[in-house]
Amino acid sequence: MSTNFGMTRSDIQRNHALLTPESHEWITQPDWPGGELAWLISPDMGAKFAMGIVRSTDGIPAAAAPPEGIARFLFCLDGNVRLQSGVALAPEGFAFIPPGTRDVVSAGPGSRFVLFEWHFLAHGPGPELVSGSVADTAGTPLRGDDWLMVQKLLPTDPAFDAEFNIMNFEPGASLAYVETHFMEHGLLMLDGGGIYRLDERWYPVQAGDAIWMGPHVPQWFGALGRQKSRYLIYKNYNRPPLSQR
Ligand code: UGY
Ligand code: MN
């Protein structure tokens, strides 16, 4: 029986949203047999991409390929995720799957992973499938701040139209200024927590929380507590403003 008396930390605004685990709605979808999905960010709220969490108790034998022109990014949280071509993702393993890839995604029992989908903007020959793991990805200080290390999961190649990064904050570290940019973000807090400023609101956030930052939304994060804070963040990139769809 629910005892939350109608309360949630989730907050969905015109140009940003905080999506917290207690309000996730798990659904099934014909293209993900054996899986349950909680779509947290979607074009229905104004975003130009979709981000969800997929989980499976007994395993996902074979997911259908996405519609034409859709790229995918998978980030394993628990268990294992596999591509038919032989790629295997353990926790914190990731894969970028370019549009048109007919590879079949499957997942083992007890798996959980983050799924991003978006309309890929190609300029020239498209990038190949990329996979790797966070542990094997080098970090660099953000604008010289070595308390704030950024791990870029995808190659810095203009053929990619998105970035997926892990931002690592030492306790007390923060973004240096309130960012405003036309690019969007989809974010999942992996560890720790702090205060996220979105527009004119300041949200306490912790591991498991997801955030949508729409175009131009003022954004800032300060890490609190005694442990490091980390988040996975998507950003549309190499896409000029007038090319957005
Ligand atoms: O890449 C970024 O724009 C990143 N610094 N934004 C963020 O963490 N909200
Ligand atoms: Mn940003």
Side-chain angles (χ1 to χ4, degrees), residues 175 179 181 183 185 196 213 219 233 235:
L175 293 176
E179 296 178 10
H181 48 66
M183 297 83 84
H185 288 308
Y196 229 106
M213 291 174 241
Q219 58 196 253
I233 187 167
K235 182 182 203 173

Side-chain angles (χ1 to χ4, degrees), residues 83-190:
L83 303 186
Q84 197 182 23
S85 53
V87 171
L89 308 180
E92 305 235 330
F94 59 85
F96 162 81
I97 307 177
T101 311
R102 307 311 298 174
D103 218 340
V104 173
V105 176
S106 60
S111 294
R112 224 163 46 95
F113 57 94
V114 192
L115 171 66
F116 290 86
E117 294 186 337
W118 69 99
H119 292 277
F120 187 81
L121 182 72
H123 12 243
E128 301 287 310
L129 189 142
V130 174
S131 65
S133 72
V134 173
D136 293 337
T137 307
T140 52
L142 184 69
R143 296 182 188 86
D145 181 354
D146 62 0
W147 281 17
L148 205 182
M149 302 293 282
V150 182
Q151 292 166 283
K152 288 184 184 284
L153 305 184
L154 297 184
T156 50
D157 172 343
F160 290 93
D161 73 343
E163 280 191 352
F164 288 86
N165 300 332
I166 304 287
M167 309 271 294
N168 300 266
F169 295 78
E170 293 296 323
S174 66
L175 293 176
Y177 53 91
V178 179
E179 296 178 10
T180 58
H181 48 66
F182 76 90
M183 297 83 84
E184 288 185 271
H185 288 308
L187 175 158
L188 181 70
M189 287 296 301
L190 298 174

Side-chain angles (χ1 to χ4, degrees), residues 19-29 32 34-42 50-56 60 73-78 81 107 110-117 186-190 206-211 232:
L19 300 313
T20 58
E22 78 283 351
S23 68
H24 291 180
E25 181 78 6
W26 295 95
I27 60 164
T28 55
Q29 246 177 234
W32 288 96
E36 289 185 309
L37 294 90
W39 286 110
L40 306 178
I41 301 174
S42 84
M51 171 182 154
I53 296 178
V54 185
R55 70 181 184 190
S56 175
I60 297 171
F73 184 88
L74 310 178
F75 184 90
C76 181
L77 296 169
D78 298 307
V81 181
S111 294
R112 224 163 46 95
F113 57 94
V114 192
L115 171 66
F116 290 86
E117 294 186 337
L187 175 158
L188 181 70
M189 287 296 301
L190 298 174
Q206 62 191 30
D209 291 351
I211 292 175
L232 166 70

